[in-house]
Amino acid sequence: MTIRAKILVIVLAFFAFLGSAFTIYSIFTTGNYKRLRLEGIEKTVEFEAEKVNKKITGIELGALHFAISGLICREEQSLEVGELSVLEFLRDFPDAEGGGFWFEPYAFDGKTKRTGIYAFYDRDAGFFVLDETMYVDGALNIDEYDYHSMSWYREVMDTVTQADQVVWTMPYIDDSGARSLMTTAGAGIFDEYHNLIGTSNIDWKIEDVVAELTAIKPTEHSFVLLCLPERDYIISNTYNASFDANGSKGKNNINGENIDNIDDNTGNTGNTSNTGNTSNTGNTSNTGDSGNSGNSGNSDNDESGGRIFNTGEPLSSLSWDINADSFVLDGTEYMTFRRVMDNDWLISVCIPENEIFTEMERQNTHFSLVIAILAAVMLIFAFLLLSNLINKPLKRLISEVSKLGLGNLDTNIAIKTNDELGLLAGTFNKMTADLKESIEQKTLAMAEKERIGAELDIAKRIQASMLPCIFPPFPDRPEFDIYALMLPAEEVGGDFYDFFLVDNNTLAVVMADVSDKGVPAALFMVITKTLIKNNAQSGKSPEEVFKTVNNMLCENNDELMFVTAFLGYLHIPTGRFSYVNAGHNPPLIRAGERFTRLETKPSLMLAAMEGTSYALHETTLMPGDELFLYTDGVTEAINSEYELFGEARLIDAANGLPSLPPEEFAFAIRNEVGKYSDGASQSDDITMLALRFRGRQSSISEISVEADLQYLDDVLEFVSEKLESCPQKTQIQIGLTVDEIFSNIASYAYSPSTGPVAIRISVGSDITIEFEDSGKEYDPLSSYAPDLSLPALDRKEGGLGLFMVKNIVDSMEYRREGGKNILTIRKDIT
């Protein structure tokens, strides 16, 4: 792809990004606007419903107030009290159309069948007055008005069950001249025995409520539906079908006032006094019988063919679900916002969905079109500008740089502009010169690095060759098994181990760690190792070796390096282990089933201070016991969380392994450390040495000769060969013992003849020699013991040789078995 094409792609991508950002922003803001718009409509419906609820609450309180007034009027037997109470309340409550209270037959005074008080709003007078149709010559007389049979009275009386209960009647059209849509709220009047003795009522003109709800018009063609869902009854509907059909104004059903079409089956809805005389006042008394109010409404089809739902129709006549959030009516999709009022009326505001967001969608369309046109113009302009200012100079630059790519480092790019391309050309020229110089320097550096690497590799091999690396190192010594390894953190390390025979019966083991790493530590390690081995093989004890080596290392130690070290001597015949510790990690010892620390009191490190003395410690290893020496590279190995492996984890790992040969044991510990590190880099040298003490392997050797002194030299030579590894003193003592016992057998066992003698010898942790002959029975343990306190001439003859033998050996046993004398002697190896 050419640069020009890339520029075009970049510009297109940039504008695509901007377009995407704008689209996302538009979607986000549109969503917010819709949410705010819907929340505003919800709040409007909620506010209007709350206004109506306040009126409902006031009417219900008025009905309860009238019930109390009626009870007081009865108790006082004074209708004047009731009249004043009713008028006073209604004059302060203009929302009511009228109200009063009514008693059950003979419930007021036990004499009068019908007793009641009612006042209504006189529009001519402009205030509330008592209903004069109930008075004759100024006195209350409603015998002719049988309100007990009226549906509004019976509906309240049949429904109310407690004193604080308010019952709303079905809406109805009064039959006075006003022809108004009304409803009545009634409460029960209970006597002191909680018997229902009458009812109070307040009439409410629903047209006032409908007029307020008609004002809820969030959009041009929205409408309001007021209904009673529990009674399947439409109270009012402001829908105008002609608006949705073609936008022209047709038949209007606002406020539910298509009352002229309501048929006559509403009953005596307007008859307030049952006197048949409604023309006395011309006012509406809403205490009349609502009759079959549920059938009071009709439905029409308007001129456009749209369905109009009038007052009194059932909700089932609607073409949509009143509880649905949206519906389709006359081809238009509506959204609904509902509120249930305190008297269980439902207000449903229905808004055409396309009208809610019309303005916003129109603005978005215009704005998007403007943005698209501007983006296209800017795209073309940016492409042309970038092509002329960047593409052409870049072509020249590429042509020159391609020569550099072919390896011609003498190329000079001739672009003299003052912009970035000119700066880039100058940078290329400088880079070419620097590259030539860098290649030369790198060639020299690589040669030097290869030389140093080769020397370090040689140093690594030399260091490795200085440490014992052939295993098993002493194949002819079955008394012990040993294995060691070192893993340097760098090419060469400062740790070292060593083991060697000081003499035929003493094995020396060394574990040390120099305070530094790399080549300096390796050089210091070589010196320390050599000094320790030379001093040990010169016959010095462990503490003398460290004291001498420490003083020698302190001389001219200008770099202030030091060594932590551990040196131990294993006396092979006895298992005695003598050791000194110069600030090193204490080894682990397994004497039995588990590994534990070999307790030491560490002294100062080597090369730290001249004249330091080192304490000698001793322990005894039994056959099968093991030692594990290591450096701090094992315990200070870290994992990815920078946590140390630690001595406790090392002991647990060692005890978690079965009994293994030293080599397998060392590699198993190394694997445990590796798993714990989990890929973390090795920060220090790791060195380990494992030693298992087997002890002398006792084997029985036997020689059989005639019990004759001429074979004494053969017997002594046989015994001497088997005791080659024993101390010289022990060899001499055993030789004297064998000489004395064999001479006694040769002289007395078969006397005066001769017979066979078998001599068996085993050498392990002690020396056991058994003499067996078939001569006369003789127990040397019961022989005469000479009295050494007497002069030699006064002592009894004999017994001195056996007395000497008893004092040389550690134990002496005799038994007569199968006609044979068997004498066994044991001597510990010291």
Side-chain angles (χ1 to χ4, degrees), residues 307-332:
R307 173 80 165 164
I308 299 178
F309 304 97
N310 291 324
T311 299
E313 286 194 2
L315 286 174
S316 57
S317 64
L318 297 177
S319 60
W320 70 90
D321 184 0
I322 190 65
N323 295 312
D325 292 331
S326 63
F327 64 90
V328 177
L329 179 61
D330 292 337
T332 302

Side-chain angles (χ1 to χ4, degrees), residues 685-704:
D685 303 333
I686 294 178
T687 308
M688 295 180 282
L689 184 148
L691 170 67
R692 174 176 289 177
F693 178 61
R694 300 179 184 276
R696 288 189 179 274
Q697 306 299 306
S698 60
S699 59
I700 299 176
S701 301
E702 182 178 344
I703 186 172
S704 182

